[in-house]
Amino acid sequence: MFKPTFRAGGLGALLLGGALAHSAAPLPLSAVAPPSRQFGLPFAGVPGPDTWLLGQGYGNTTGSYRQRRSTYGNLQGIHAGLDFSAPCGTPVRAIGDGRVAEVDGTHGSPPHNVVIDHAGNLSSLYGHLRVRSSVRVGQQVRRGQVIGESGDSQFTCVSAPHLHLELRDRSHQRFFNPVPYIAADWDTLALAGGFGRGYEYDLDQPRRWQTPDTQPGALRGGPLLNEFRRPWPPAPGGAR
Ligand SMILES: [Zn+2]
């Protein structure tokens, strides 16, 4: 087995540092803060049809199952964030104190997005923002501070207006269920909208991954988690 050796200092260390900065190795789970409800919701005020509602959950949703080999194929077939339905232009707030790491970076969720780095090697991504955020990379933000306005993944503001919120490790290789990280009355919030009722069943293990707070983490590029032998509901048209 080839075992590289590195000398401290000099050009070698400089090159190594640069290579590490651009490497895509996921952080070890032990380096990432576990969930302790340390974050808040990305919207203020009372949820409702005119404000914001929970839409698609994080995880093994029926929607992501049906697109597990396409849209979500690189995320183990998992909807790697939480969707909050909201009219376009609803103020989006930082879920925790942190530093703006990216504005319209390379992490998808168009047309506009923001990434904030937090303590514990966690990063939050706010996706499908309507317009480019006015926050700047490097800027410190506080929990609850408005960092953008919500938009629509299909750019129309009438077809699918929602915020896509992700919680990642800082290397952007691991994706975590935001639910146990965010202090909220999820049971009450879930009474309205489709949240918590749209998970794909594996009839061989029908209770697994069926609630908003029991969803698996995802690793970029990992194998599909929901390539079920007996899925329910079946995909439209009989396709699996
Ligand atoms: Zn989403």
Side-chain angles (χ1 to χ4, degrees), residues 56 72 79 81-83 128 162 164:
Q56 186 180 190
Y72 304 103
H79 180 235
L82 281 181
D83 288 345
H128 307 318
H162 71 280
H164 176 86

Side-chain angles (χ1 to χ4, degrees), residues 37-215:
R37 299 170 70 87
Q38 61 265 61
F39 296 115
L41 288 165
F43 291 114
V46 180
D50 297 325
T51 54
W52 59 273
L53 292 167
L54 296 176
Q56 186 180 190
Y58 166 99
N60 169 46
T61 65
T62 296
S64 64
Y65 169 78
R66 290 181 180 171
Q67 298 179 63
R68 68 193 182 284
R69 295 172 192 158
S70 53
T71 308
Y72 304 103
N74 199 34
L75 300 171
Q76 301 197 273
I78 292 299
H79 180 235
L82 281 181
D83 288 345
F84 294 81
S85 302
C88 274
T90 304
V92 174
R93 294 161 189 276
I95 63 170
D97 296 350
R99 176 187 161 279
V100 177
E102 295 183 37
V103 177
D104 290 352
T106 58
H107 295 295
S109 224
H112 298 279
N113 65 55
V114 168
V115 172
I116 298 175
D117 286 345
H118 305 283
N121 284 321
L122 288 162
S123 298
S124 54
L125 175 139
Y126 309 79
H128 307 318
L129 302 180
R130 190 180 71 85
V131 294
R132 184 184 171 93
S133 171
S134 60
V135 297
R136 302 177 316 280
V137 171
Q139 180 181 340
Q140 298 290 326
V141 293
R142 307 290 294 180
R143 174 172 170 164
Q145 183 174 335
V146 175
I147 51 97
E149 46 182 274
S150 67
D152 187 327
S153 59
Q154 298 175 12
F155 310 166
T156 67
C157 284
V158 293
S159 54
H162 71 280
L163 171 74
H164 176 86
L165 173 72
E166 290 185 0
L167 195 61
R168 306 173 169 202
D169 79 337
R170 200 172 292 199
S171 73
H172 296 278
Q173 303 304 304
R174 296 186 188 279
F175 300 77
F176 305 106
N177 184 359
V179 167
Y181 280 93
I182 292 178
D185 182 355
W186 292 104
D187 291 333
T188 300
L189 292 174
L191 292 176
F195 190 72
R197 289 186 281 282
Y199 300 104
E200 185 74 11
Y201 286 101
D202 172 4
L203 293 182
D204 290 328
Q205 297 185 72
R207 292 177 188 271
R208 190 174 61 157
W209 304 337
Q210 291 303 308
T211 60
D213 54 344
T214 60
Q215 297 295 321

